[in-house]
């Protein structure tokens, strides 16, 4: 499956049909830098709706498939087969779909959490490694240039050694039982068979955990969690507080909540070192506040030329023009494209294809959810070591 550098990658998609949330964001992201062409899909759990979606989105009828198994078989049989599949389905389906495509030799872009069990995450990561296929996991927020700038600042020692990491991901959209009023997204997210062991902690806590580890480079040594379900009748947590002990002595506090009224998409990271701190908020993603000890806080804005390669290669427009969520997601897609082309061509990836989230990050996210739920079940003294950090 070699890919000539002068052609777009052929992308297939599973899920992401009518009324779905993240599939549309993947399609925006795949289009922005012109690396991909969406040519095939099994877009819906209901095949008729999937075919209708495909027709309305200019997918050839013979490449609109009834399900992912038919898609693997149909694409394998073609000369112009897809290079990569994007898996945009609910959590419980990720493992089987990803495995089927990897086994058939395709690269994979998989949504988070990567799987619903630690066992499956370990198996999928092992398969990714042994197959040599690329498996990217869409931890969206590490696509932001300013997150790469923050990571570079921590790595350069601008903060000194890290003492405290505060990360929170509060949302309000599940503050009432919308899952029993027909909300498609809330329905599967509140069902442990479809979502996995974590509610808010799996859905958004994994993003926060990844972001904290990505920026600081620190591994979690142990954690202690308190999960709560506020909305009556719900079987998974809709609010989580997690204390984290990081290597080197840093202490973290992670809050994820789906019942935080007033918060639309309030992902926020604050990292405090011995010399300085940084703060970043996803609703104002083009800037970081840098506060040196006893010094004047400085707002560092996207587009400066001293923010490091990671930020520079992910910056599209000059400072002052807002870039946001779609651009960050597109940065992931461009990084994945470069990582896949590098594998196909037997070379090292250029800067945008480095430090992209892969199956190992997916595995660490699932291990985090597992440790959080284990710890909660051991409360009130539930310090628990994640199996992978
Ligand atoms: P959704 O319910 O809106 O959409 C799911 C889609 O998958 C629907 O089109 C459904 O018909 C389809 N589907 C279900 N089972 C299928 C199957 N077996 N074969 C083909 N299609 C199937 O869900 P969503 O909110 O878009 O979430 C999907 C995934 O994306 C989840 O894993 C979620 O955690 C993740 N997600 C990630 C982010 C992010 O920031 N990276 C944001 C939102 C959701």
């Amino acid at each position: 499956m070699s890919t000539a550098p002068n052609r777009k990658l052929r992308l297939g998609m599973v899920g992401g049909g009518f009324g779905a949330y993240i599939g549309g964001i993947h399609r925006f992201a795949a289009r922005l830098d012109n690396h991909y062409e969406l040519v095939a899909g099994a877009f819906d759990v209901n095949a008729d709706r999937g075919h209708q979606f495909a027709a309305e989105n200019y997918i050839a009828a013979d490449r609109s498939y009834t399900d992912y198994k038919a898609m693997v078989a149909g694409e394998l049989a073609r000369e112009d087969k897809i290079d990569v599949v994007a898996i945009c389905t609910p959590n419980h389906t990720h493992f089987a779909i990803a495995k089927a495509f990897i086994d058939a030799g395709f690269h994979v872009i998989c949504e988070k959490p990567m799987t619903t069990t630690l066992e499956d995450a370990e198996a999928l990561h092992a398969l990714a490694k042994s197959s040599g296929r690329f498996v990217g996991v869409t931890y969206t927020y590490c696509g932001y240039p300013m997150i790469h700038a923050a990571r570079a600042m921590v790595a350069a020692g601008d903060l000194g050694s890290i003492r405290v990491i505060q990360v929170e991901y509060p949302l309000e959209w599940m503050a009432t039982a919308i899952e029993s009023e027909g909300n498609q997204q809330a329905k599967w997210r509140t069902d442990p068979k479809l979502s996995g062991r974590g509610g808010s902690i799996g859905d958004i806590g994994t993003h926060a955990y990844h972001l904290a580890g990505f920026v600081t480079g620190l591994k979690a040594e142990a954690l202690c969690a308190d999960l709560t379900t506020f909305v009556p009748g719900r079987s998974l947590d809709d609010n989580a507080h997690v204390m984290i002990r990081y290597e080197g002595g840093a202490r973290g506090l992670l809050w994820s909540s789906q019942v935080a009224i007033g918060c639309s998409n309030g992902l926020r990271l604050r990292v405090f070192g011995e010399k300085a701190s940084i703060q970043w908020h996803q609703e104002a993603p083009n800037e970081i506040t840098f506060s040196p000890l006893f010094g004047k806080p400085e707002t560092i804005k996207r587009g400066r030329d001293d923010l490091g390669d990671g930020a520079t290669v992910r910056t599209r427009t000059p400072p002052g023009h807002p870039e946001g969520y779609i651009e960050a997601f597109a940065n992931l897609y461009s990084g994945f494209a470069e990582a896949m082309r590098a594998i196909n061509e037997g070379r090292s990836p250029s800067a945008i294809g480095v430090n992209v989230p892969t199956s190992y990050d997916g595995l660490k996210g699932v291990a985090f959810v597992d440790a959080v739920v284990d710890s909660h079940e051991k409360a009130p003294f539930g310090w628990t070591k994640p199996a992978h950090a």
Side-chain angles (χ1 to χ4, degrees):
M1 202 168 300
S2 78
T3 315
N6 62 353
R7 76 159 172 82
K8 293 185 188 184
L9 295 168
R10 289 188 283 261
L11 174 68
M13 182 170 280
V14 183
F18 292 121
Y21 172 57
I22 204 68
I25 307 296
H26 280 248
R27 289 189 291 275
F28 289 147
R31 277 186 216 122
L32 202 61
D33 294 313
N34 219 16
H35 292 302
Y36 300 85
E37 183 185 6
L38 180 65
V39 294
F43 293 102
D44 202 295
V45 69
N46 174 319
D48 289 341
R49 273 166 51 97
H51 292 318
Q52 198 187 334
F53 181 87
E56 289 185 20
N57 284 273
Y58 312 106
I59 304 297
D62 65 339
R63 299 184 89 171
S64 169
Y65 297 96
T66 305
D67 58 33
Y68 77 88
K69 290 181 182 162
M71 183 169 161
V72 170
E75 288 300 310
L76 260 185
R78 301 181 68 97
E79 282 276 298
D80 59 348
K81 53 177 75 62
I82 57 168
D83 299 291
V84 53
V85 65
I87 302 172
C88 303
T89 51
N91 307 347
H92 68 296
T93 64
H94 296 174
F95 176 73
I97 299 173
K99 183 176 182 324
F101 279 93
I102 297 170
D103 282 343
F106 297 107
H107 297 302
V108 166
I109 296 172
C110 184
E111 262 306 341
K112 46 50 58 183
M114 187 168 78
T115 63
T116 48
T117 68
L118 181 58
E119 198 186 2
D120 283 353
E122 286 170 340
L124 194 54
H125 175 59
L127 181 61
K129 277 205 311 195
S130 64
S131 67
R133 298 297 78 197
F134 177 77
V135 178
V137 176
T138 37
Y139 281 115
T140 311
Y141 305 99
C142 66
Y144 281 111
M146 293 314 283
I147 289 302
H148 283 261
R151 177 183 161 104
M153 289 165 74
V154 172
D158 295 356
L159 281 67
S161 74
I162 303 304
R163 291 174 168 169
V164 173
I165 302 166
Q166 296 281 124
V167 64
E168 61 183 52
Y169 201 157
L171 301 174
E172 72 176 352
W173 72 293
M174 290 170 67
T176 62
I178 52 172
E179 60 271 29
S180 45
E181 293 158 13
N183 183 294
Q184 171 184 327
Q185 283 76 23
K187 214 168 172 187
W188 67 257
R189 277 175 170 81
T190 50
D191 181 342
K193 289 195 294 299
L194 311 183
S195 190
R197 294 179 80 196
S200 80
I201 198 68
D203 198 37
I204 49 178
T206 46
H207 277 301
Y209 181 68
H210 179 262
L211 190 71
F214 184 80
V215 168
T216 63
L218 294 179
K219 294 181 179 179
E221 285 184 335
L223 56 81
C224 184
D226 182 24
L227 303 180
T228 314
T229 306
F230 283 107
V231 172
R234 211 166 254 174
S235 16
L236 287 172
D237 67 274
D238 50 27
N239 191 86
H241 288 102
V242 187
M243 291 191 289
I244 304 174
R245 290 181 178 168
Y246 285 96
E247 61 183 354
R251 293 293 188 264
L253 191 60
L254 182 152
W255 173 41
S256 65
S257 184
Q258 295 161 325
V259 298
I261 293 174
C263 298
S264 309
N265 212 286
L267 176 62
R268 184 187 300 272
L269 174 69
R270 292 184 289 164
V271 182
F272 301 87
E274 60 184 355
K275 297 198 302 199
S277 71
I278 48 174
Q279 303 192 27
W280 177 86
H281 186 204
Q282 112 93 19
E283 293 186 8
N286 290 277
E287 57 192 50
I288 293 171
T289 305
F290 176 76
S291 305
L293 179 67
F294 304 133
K296 257 174 121 177
E298 181 190 0
T299 302
I300 299 177
K301 297 200 176 183
R302 185 191 55 74
R304 263 171 50 166
D305 57 11
D306 62 348
L307 300 179
D309 262 9
T312 303
V313 297
R314 291 172 178 82
T315 293
R316 297 144 192 284
T317 54
H321 297 293
E323 290 183 6
Y325 179 60
I326 304 296
E327 287 90 343
F329 219 108
N331 286 337
L332 287 191
Y333 258 81
S334 295
F336 293 160
E338 172 58 11
M340 287 183 260
R341 289 192 195 283
I343 291 173
N344 292 347
E345 294 158 24
R347 59 169 174 83
S348 300
S350 67
I352 196 145
V354 175
N355 291 328
V356 293
T358 65
S359 61
Y360 189 47
D361 298 284
L363 169 60
K364 288 190 285 184
V366 177
F368 168 70
V369 175
D370 224 47
V372 164
V373 180
D374 283 352
S375 163
H376 171 75
E377 288 174 353
K378 285 190 249 166
F381 300 111
W383 285 97
T384 302
K385 185 176 168 24
H388 302 272

